[in-house]
Amino acid sequence: MIRVQSLNRTFKVGDEAVHALRELNLDIDSGEYIAIMGPSGSGKSTLLNVLGLLDRPDSGKYLLDGIDTVTLPEDNRAAVRRTHIGFVFQSFHLIPRLTAAENIALPMMLAGTDPGLRRKRVQAILESLGLEDRAHHRPDQLSGGQRQRVAIARATVMKPTLLLADEPTGNLDIHSGEEVMTTLEALNKGGITLLVVTHDPDIAARARRHIHMVDGAVVEDRKT
Amino acid sequence: MRFDDILTFTGKTLSSARKRTWLMLLAMSIGVGSVVILTALGEGARRYVTQEFSNLGTHLLIVLPGRVETSGGHPPLIGGTPRDLTLNDAMALGRSSSIRLVAPVILGSAPVSYRQLERDITVLGSTAELLPVRKLELGQGRFLPAGDPSRESAVTVIGSKLKKELFGGKSALGKWVRIHDRRFRIIGVLKPSGQSLGMDLGDVAIVPVASAQSLFDTQTLFRILIQANGREAIPRAEKSIIEIISERHDGDEDVTVVTQNALLSTFDGIFRSLTYAVAGIAAVSLGVAGILIMNVMLVSISQRTAEIGLLKALGSPSGQILRLFLVEAGMLSAAGAFIGILIALAGVWALDRAFPAFPLSVPVWALAAAVAVALSTGLLFGVLPARRAAELDPVRALSGK
């Protein structure tokens, strides 16, 4: 599903060039559950951004579902993001003035989906997450775990094939973190490919494949 | 993205930042309001003057003694002073086929008294033709009798204000008043008509021109008012006036003919450009409002950087984000223009109540232009912030940088 070959990404920090990704190769099959670990600055977030089409590599190949994404024009990349990829962020990134239901419906609204269909899908996803009674609450009226689960609902409402989560439990207590991980894993069981970037070994241990990065390269790739 | 969704989304954004939104609406509405009010004032002034001129009469030409020379050339070596216009000159003008009516006018000031009451007023010496030429209206009685203008007659028609001051509520018709050292019988009273080009027609006494000549001991006419034989006849009338007078004045063209239309179009033009100038000055405030919108939107974009990053991550192409922010600027401008028009209409209404004589009105073109300018400044100044938002790098934007 994902085929990455000799990916390079360099940032300029002052006069110095920092190699966030260095000749990185990676293959990911559909439905995998992967934890990406590594110290700060090892390039794991950059990898996630490149895989999520938010960032463009300087060189290398990245095929997503057979689409060569590196040469794709920006607007087409946005379209691929919309249909193929869901993001879950550490800081949730919910829009504060919209209710939970409106936040979940946002990707469909941007895509121009019919309002009737939007309501139906939001309703279904709220029910599956047990958040029906929170539908009309704004983010500041939700707990951290609920916020992240609303964010997950938003990330999956377009039925993407790839779900990218950057430290999804980083801002949560253990109990809420557990809740969020269970939600993500349930989605993975449903067939979605799940990539989680994390510092937390307990969270990482739940995945079926572990990728360890140092200095922009994969130093360990282990399946359990 | 559906257009109704863009509107709801932007509406929610604007209503969640209430202070910012009101600030921008205020700036825009002041701009639009001042453009509309000032245009209404300018337009009102133009209409007022135009109306005054049309009240003077129809197809009117005014003959003044003396030549107003604007084309340069040598001053005459001998005989610098022009000849006076006389009653015979005026009568001679009646020969022209393009002239329908001629009303000679002598103007002077004299005391008018009835019993113990005395008033200093303007005395107009003229003929029966003055009534139609000058579009006067009688309230009571009749006007000066037609007949040989060189014959004196001790009758007078007085203005309504003078009548009220001398006679109060009682009838003035048939009463004898003393003007200077002569006695005149009142045969008519003018209808109240208010000011007309600075001359209060309520405060005059009109006497036959020959009587005025002997009253003021002069042969000189103040001017001659002429009604041409229709609108197309005005240029011919003007030509024949100059021909007839110069023939009578030994070949000197020593009169000036002013046509009402020339006056009207001159003033019309002056006031029109005045209106445009004033509207232009007011439009500067619209520009200021546009710059304010730009600034506030730039601030708002830097506060919403992470949100823009999120929209990009959710698959929003740059064009869509650009559109979102342009619609925001457009909605602000449109709402500001709407409030501004309400303010302007309220202001015009209040001014209209305060000064009922002044024909204030809001020209439709001014409303349309103000809204168009407001929208285009809003969008124009919205483009820069919107483009900045659209061009944000999603990774950096998501981290709030």
Side-chain angles (χ1 to χ4, degrees), chain B residues 268-293:
Chain B
D268 199 51
I270 291 173
F271 277 92
R272 209 177 276 276
S273 24
L274 187 80
T275 306
Y276 291 151
V278 167
I281 293 167
V284 171
S285 62
L286 273 178
V288 173
I291 290 174
L292 184 84
I293 285 192

mmCIF file of all heavy atoms in Angstrom, chain B residues 268-293:
data_model
loop_
_atom_site.group_PDB
_atom_site.id
_atom_site.type_symbol
_atom_site.label_atom_id
_atom_site.label_comp_id
_atom_site.label_asym_id
_atom_site.label_seq_id
_atom_site.Cartn_x
_atom_site.Cartn_y
_atom_site.Cartn_z
ATOM 1 N N ASP B 268 -25.551 73.575 -12.887
ATOM 2 C CA ASP B 268 -25.736 72.133 -12.840
ATOM 3 C C ASP B 268 -24.375 71.441 -12.874
ATOM 4 O O ASP B 268 -24.085 70.561 -12.069
ATOM 5 C CB ASP B 268 -26.572 71.719 -14.042
ATOM 6 C CG ASP B 268 -27.199 70.358 -13.832
ATOM 7 O OD1 ASP B 268 -27.824 70.176 -12.778
ATOM 8 O OD2 ASP B 268 -27.026 69.489 -14.704
ATOM 9 N N GLY B 269 -23.536 71.908 -13.805
ATOM 10 C CA GLY B 269 -22.202 71.312 -13.943
ATOM 11 C C GLY B 269 -21.365 71.523 -12.696
ATOM 12 O O GLY B 269 -20.726 70.598 -12.196
ATOM 13 N N ILE B 270 -21.409 72.758 -12.171
ATOM 14 C CA ILE B 270 -20.607 73.067 -10.983
ATOM 15 C C ILE B 270 -21.015 72.158 -9.831
ATOM 16 O O ILE B 270 -20.175 71.534 -9.180
ATOM 17 C CB ILE B 270 -20.789 74.542 -10.560
ATOM 18 C CG1 ILE B 270 -20.144 75.454 -11.613
ATOM 19 C CG2 ILE B 270 -20.196 74.795 -9.183
ATOM 20 C CD1 ILE B 270 -20.416 76.911 -11.386
ATOM 21 N N PHE B 271 -22.320 72.045 -9.619
ATOM 22 C CA PHE B 271 -22.754 71.271 -8.458
ATOM 23 C C PHE B 271 -22.556 69.782 -8.654
ATOM 24 O O PHE B 271 -22.310 69.052 -7.709
ATOM 25 C CB PHE B 271 -24.214 71.597 -8.122
ATOM 26 C CG PHE B 271 -24.319 72.831 -7.293
ATOM 27 C CD1 PHE B 271 -24.498 74.069 -7.884
ATOM 28 C CD2 PHE B 271 -24.176 72.765 -5.913
ATOM 29 C CE1 PHE B 271 -24.558 75.208 -7.128
ATOM 30 C CE2 PHE B 271 -24.229 73.909 -5.149
ATOM 31 C CZ PHE B 271 -24.425 75.142 -5.752
ATOM 32 N N ARG B 272 -22.633 69.365 -9.914
ATOM 33 C CA ARG B 272 -22.388 67.954 -10.163
ATOM 34 C C ARG B 272 -20.929 67.605 -9.817
ATOM 35 O O ARG B 272 -20.660 66.636 -9.114
ATOM 36 C CB ARG B 272 -22.666 67.625 -11.627
ATOM 37 C CG ARG B 272 -23.125 66.197 -11.838
ATOM 38 C CD ARG B 272 -23.447 65.961 -13.291
ATOM 39 N NE ARG B 272 -24.794 66.388 -13.622
ATOM 40 C CZ ARG B 272 -25.870 65.635 -13.423
ATOM 41 N NH1 ARG B 272 -25.740 64.445 -12.886
ATOM 42 N NH2 ARG B 272 -27.068 66.055 -13.747
ATOM 43 N N SER B 273 -20.022 68.458 -10.284
ATOM 44 C CA SER B 273 -18.617 68.136 -9.978
ATOM 45 C C SER B 273 -18.348 68.276 -8.482
ATOM 46 O O SER B 273 -17.554 67.537 -7.914
ATOM 47 C CB SER B 273 -17.649 68.989 -10.795
ATOM 48 O OG SER B 273 -18.227 70.170 -11.202
ATOM 49 N N LEU B 274 -19.047 69.228 -7.852
ATOM 50 C CA LEU B 274 -18.903 69.370 -6.396
ATOM 51 C C LEU B 274 -19.327 68.073 -5.703
ATOM 52 O O LEU B 274 -18.639 67.570 -4.810
ATOM 53 C CB LEU B 274 -19.776 70.533 -5.917
ATOM 54 C CG LEU B 274 -19.595 70.898 -4.452
ATOM 55 C CD1 LEU B 274 -18.353 71.756 -4.300
ATOM 56 C CD2 LEU B 274 -20.806 71.637 -3.922
ATOM 57 N N THR B 275 -20.469 67.529 -6.152
ATOM 58 C CA THR B 275 -20.953 66.276 -5.562
ATOM 59 C C THR B 275 -19.924 65.163 -5.726
ATOM 60 O O THR B 275 -19.618 64.433 -4.780
ATOM 61 C CB THR B 275 -22.267 65.853 -6.237
ATOM 62 O OG1 THR B 275 -23.172 66.944 -6.146
ATOM 63 C CG2 THR B 275 -22.854 64.639 -5.563
ATOM 64 N N TYR B 276 -19.372 65.070 -6.951
ATOM 65 C CA TYR B 276 -18.386 64.017 -7.184
ATOM 66 C C TYR B 276 -17.168 64.215 -6.285
ATOM 67 O O TYR B 276 -16.635 63.261 -5.713
ATOM 68 C CB TYR B 276 -17.943 64.011 -8.655
ATOM 69 C CG TYR B 276 -19.023 63.567 -9.605
ATOM 70 C CD1 TYR B 276 -19.072 64.034 -10.906
ATOM 71 C CD2 TYR B 276 -20.008 62.675 -9.193
ATOM 72 C CE1 TYR B 276 -20.077 63.630 -11.777
ATOM 73 C CE2 TYR B 276 -21.006 62.274 -10.049
ATOM 74 C CZ TYR B 276 -21.042 62.755 -11.342
ATOM 75 O OH TYR B 276 -22.023 62.347 -12.188
ATOM 76 N N ALA B 277 -16.741 65.493 -6.172
ATOM 77 C CA ALA B 277 -15.553 65.768 -5.359
ATOM 78 C C ALA B 277 -15.788 65.351 -3.916
ATOM 79 O O ALA B 277 -14.972 64.671 -3.292
ATOM 80 C CB ALA B 277 -15.201 67.245 -5.456
ATOM 81 N N VAL B 278 -16.959 65.766 -3.391
ATOM 82 C CA VAL B 278 -17.274 65.449 -1.993
ATOM 83 C C VAL B 278 -17.364 63.939 -1.791
ATOM 84 O O VAL B 278 -16.826 63.385 -0.833
ATOM 85 C CB VAL B 278 -18.587 66.156 -1.600
ATOM 86 C CG1 VAL B 278 -19.107 65.616 -0.298
ATOM 87 C CG2 VAL B 278 -18.366 67.646 -1.487
ATOM 88 N N ALA B 279 -18.010 63.271 -2.757
ATOM 89 C CA ALA B 279 -18.124 61.809 -2.661
ATOM 90 C C ALA B 279 -16.740 61.172 -2.718
ATOM 91 O O ALA B 279 -16.458 60.203 -2.022
ATOM 92 C CB ALA B 279 -19.006 61.275 -3.784
ATOM 93 N N GLY B 280 -15.877 61.756 -3.552
ATOM 94 C CA GLY B 280 -14.516 61.225 -3.665
ATOM 95 C C GLY B 280 -13.767 61.338 -2.354
ATOM 96 O O GLY B 280 -13.090 60.407 -1.922
ATOM 97 N N ILE B 281 -13.934 62.507 -1.705
ATOM 98 C CA ILE B 281 -13.257 62.702 -0.419
ATOM 99 C C ILE B 281 -13.770 61.677 0.590
ATOM 100 O O ILE B 281 -13.008 61.044 1.319
ATOM 101 C CB ILE B 281 -13.482 64.137 0.089
ATOM 102 C CG1 ILE B 281 -12.767 65.120 -0.839
ATOM 103 C CG2 ILE B 281 -12.988 64.292 1.519
ATOM 104 C CD1 ILE B 281 -13.148 66.547 -0.629
ATOM 105 N N ALA B 282 -15.101 61.486 0.584
ATOM 106 C CA ALA B 282 -15.675 60.522 1.525
ATOM 107 C C ALA B 282 -15.193 59.110 1.213
ATOM 108 O O ALA B 282 -15.048 58.285 2.102
ATOM 109 C CB ALA B 282 -17.204 60.593 1.473
ATOM 110 N N ALA B 283 -14.922 58.864 -0.081
ATOM 111 C CA ALA B 283 -14.477 57.520 -0.466
ATOM 112 C C ALA B 283 -13.130 57.189 0.159
ATOM 113 O O ALA B 283 -12.793 56.020 0.338
ATOM 114 C CB ALA B 283 -14.409 57.404 -1.982
ATOM 115 N N VAL B 284 -12.370 58.238 0.508
ATOM 116 C CA VAL B 284 -11.092 57.991 1.183
ATOM 117 C C VAL B 284 -11.335 57.218 2.474
ATOM 118 O O VAL B 284 -10.587 56.295 2.815
ATOM 119 C CB VAL B 284 -10.373 59.319 1.469
ATOM 120 C CG1 VAL B 284 -9.171 59.090 2.359
ATOM 121 C CG2 VAL B 284 -9.945 59.970 0.167
ATOM 122 N N SER B 285 -12.418 57.555 3.162
ATOM 123 C CA SER B 285 -12.704 56.849 4.417
ATOM 124 C C SER B 285 -13.029 55.382 4.137
ATOM 125 O O SER B 285 -12.784 54.524 4.982
ATOM 126 C CB SER B 285 -13.836 57.530 5.170
ATOM 127 O OG SER B 285 -15.015 57.496 4.414
ATOM 128 N N LEU B 286 -13.575 55.123 2.938
ATOM 129 C CA LEU B 286 -13.795 53.722 2.572
ATOM 130 C C LEU B 286 -12.456 52.998 2.396
ATOM 131 O O LEU B 286 -12.309 51.849 2.794
ATOM 132 C CB LEU B 286 -14.572 53.636 1.264
ATOM 133 C CG LEU B 286 -16.073 53.666 1.370
ATOM 134 C CD1 LEU B 286 -16.695 53.628 -0.003
ATOM 135 C CD2 LEU B 286 -16.546 52.483 2.178
ATOM 136 N N GLY B 287 -11.499 53.729 1.796
ATOM 137 C CA GLY B 287 -10.164 53.150 1.639
ATOM 138 C C GLY B 287 -9.552 52.834 2.994
ATOM 139 O O GLY B 287 -8.968 51.768 3.199
ATOM 140 N N VAL B 288 -9.744 53.775 3.938
ATOM 141 C CA VAL B 288 -9.214 53.559 5.290
ATOM 142 C C VAL B 288 -9.861 52.318 5.900
ATOM 143 O O VAL B 288 -9.197 51.479 6.507
ATOM 144 C CB VAL B 288 -9.472 54.799 6.167
ATOM 145 C CG1 VAL B 288 -9.091 54.521 7.601
ATOM 146 C CG2 VAL B 288 -8.686 55.981 5.630
ATOM 147 N N ALA B 289 -11.180 52.187 5.678
ATOM 148 C CA ALA B 289 -11.884 51.010 6.201
ATOM 149 C C ALA B 289 -11.306 49.737 5.588
ATOM 150 O O ALA B 289 -11.130 48.733 6.270
ATOM 151 C CB ALA B 289 -13.380 51.113 5.899
ATOM 152 N N GLY B 290 -10.989 49.810 4.292
ATOM 153 C CA GLY B 290 -10.404 48.652 3.618
ATOM 154 C C GLY B 290 -9.078 48.261 4.244
ATOM 155 O O GLY B 290 -8.812 47.084 4.493
ATOM 156 N N ILE B 291 -8.261 49.270 4.546
ATOM 157 C CA ILE B 291 -6.953 48.980 5.142
ATOM 158 C C ILE B 291 -7.141 48.381 6.530
ATOM 159 O O ILE B 291 -6.439 47.444 6.921
ATOM 160 C CB ILE B 291 -6.106 50.265 5.191
ATOM 161 C CG1 ILE B 291 -5.714 50.636 3.756
ATOM 162 C CG2 ILE B 291 -4.849 50.062 6.037
ATOM 163 C CD1 ILE B 291 -5.015 51.941 3.632
ATOM 164 N N LEU B 292 -8.139 48.883 7.255
ATOM 165 C CA LEU B 292 -8.408 48.320 8.580
ATOM 166 C C LEU B 292 -8.806 46.848 8.448
ATOM 167 O O LEU B 292 -8.326 45.996 9.198
ATOM 168 C CB LEU B 292 -9.515 49.112 9.278
ATOM 169 C CG LEU B 292 -9.749 48.621 10.700
ATOM 170 C CD1 LEU B 292 -8.754 49.264 11.639
ATOM 171 C CD2 LEU B 292 -11.152 48.884 11.167
ATOM 172 N N ILE B 293 -9.662 46.574 7.475
ATOM 173 C CA ILE B 293 -10.076 45.177 7.259
ATOM 174 C C ILE B 293 -8.850 44.314 6.983
ATOM 175 O O ILE B 293 -8.690 43.225 7.539
ATOM 176 C CB ILE B 293 -11.088 45.089 6.096
ATOM 177 C CG1 ILE B 293 -12.433 45.611 6.585
ATOM 178 C CG2 ILE B 293 -11.222 43.656 5.575
ATOM 179 C CD1 ILE B 293 -13.582 45.316 5.658
#
